[in-house]
Amino acid sequence: MPDGGLIRKMWMGEAHKYRDHLLRLDTESRTRRFGGGVSDDCIRDYVDTSMWFDTIVHGFFVDGMLRGAAELRPLCGTVTKEAEAALSVETEWQGHGVGSALLERTLLTARNRGITHLHMACLAENRRMQQLARKFAAELSFSFGGVVGEVEAAHPTPLSVVREMVSDGHGFATAVLEAQSRLFKVT
Ligand SMILES: CC(C)(COP(=O)(O)OP(=O)(O)OC[C@H]1O[C@@H](n2cnc3c(N)ncnc32)[C@H](O)[C@@H]1OP(=O)(O)O)[C@@H](O)C(=O)NCCC(=O)NCCS
């Protein structure tokens, strides 16, 4: 993980940070994140309409700026508890383990929500995402020219619940300290 980087869950009032991060992705990363080319307006609508009620987003922050994110979105209408995960890391921070750390936290959260299947859709040529999914024992199967990685998450244990609580507590404390230090710089 790059120096000074922090991963924590994002809050409802931070949707604008997620939107701006997605807008900053370079063309190739944006295409890979959304499985095709999308306009700036599409990204704005996406964040406005589909975020925050049952979606959990982990953010990777450097100096208070969101540089990477992992979205966990439960899929409605499925008998088994299934969810979709999507990752994005800005170009300058790719290849430093941020994606791996984000996916690890997302898997822990999914596990503690009893989600048994986690789908990660990515384009067939997205070798980096496939390599990342493989690291977490994902099984890849081809469908409609794309690749769907499915991870079977284990059931929650007291330890996995505590691990998430400790991570959340640490993330919250660091975010408060960061906000305070920004306030002192302004005043
Ligand atoms: C996919 C993505 C999230 C990965 O994040 P990252 O921070 O670059 O990931 P990591 O640094 O943890 O590296 C993941 C693995 O990919 C490997 N990798 C790096 N470049 C690679 C390449 N060109 N081909 C194959 N594997 C590659 C790394 O070696 C690493 O595996 P290792 O730890 O076994 O060595 C990031 O590149 C990204 O945002 N891409 C654009 C959006 C996207 O593709 N999203 C996925 C669709 S949901």
Side-chain angles (χ1 to χ4, degrees):
M1 283 272 290
D3 279 350
L6 155 83
I7 290 183
R8 66 163 172 84
K9 278 197 190 110
M10 293 182 68
W11 307 318
M12 276 181 106
E14 294 183 304
H16 63 288
K17 294 185 185 171
Y18 188 40
R19 179 200 60 214
D20 292 346
H21 154 68
L22 291 173
L23 288 170
R24 275 194 300 272
L25 292 175
D26 64 86
T27 310
E28 190 184 322
S29 298
R30 190 189 281 204
T31 304
R32 291 184 166 180
R33 164 63 180 79
F34 289 97
V38 290
S39 67
D40 288 0
D41 283 344
C42 267
I43 290 182
R44 288 189 191 99
D45 289 348
Y46 173 78
V47 174
D48 283 350
T49 56
S50 59
M51 286 298 302
W52 308 116
F53 293 107
D54 54 358
T55 305
I56 296 169
V57 180
H58 282 94
F60 165 69
F61 291 85
V62 181
D63 296 330
M65 192 84 156
L66 183 67
R67 296 300 184 182
E71 191 180 312
L72 178 70
R73 179 194 300 268
L75 294 174
C76 303
T78 50
V79 179
T80 52
K81 287 193 92 178
E82 295 183 38
E84 197 172 38
L87 276 76
S88 49
V89 178
E90 292 179 29
T91 322
E92 205 182 319
W93 282 269
Q94 289 179 9
H96 297 287
V98 176
S100 304
L102 283 169
L103 186 54
E104 191 180 2
R105 293 285 285 271
T106 301
L107 287 175
L108 180 65
T109 304
R111 174 184 190 171
N112 288 338
R113 305 287 175 292
I115 288 163
T116 52
H117 287 82
L118 190 64
H119 301 268
M120 286 177 295
C122 74
L123 298 174
E125 70 269 17
N126 196 346
R127 303 272 172 247
R128 188 174 277 188
M129 187 60 219
Q130 290 163 25
Q131 172 63 22
L132 180 50
R134 272 192 207 103
K135 273 174 67 172
F136 291 89
E139 290 192 355
L140 299 173
S141 59
F142 288 83
S143 106
F144 305 112
V147 178
V148 178
E150 196 171 90
V151 177
E152 198 158 330
H155 293 291
T157 62
L159 186 61
S160 70
V161 174
V162 169
R163 271 179 63 205
E164 186 178 346
M165 280 166 59
V166 169
S167 302
D168 287 352
H170 182 256
F172 178 73
T174 317
V176 169
L177 284 175
E178 210 176 77
Q180 276 179 347
S181 69
R182 269 206 303 276
L183 200 69
F184 285 131
K185 271 184 209 159
V186 172
T187 52

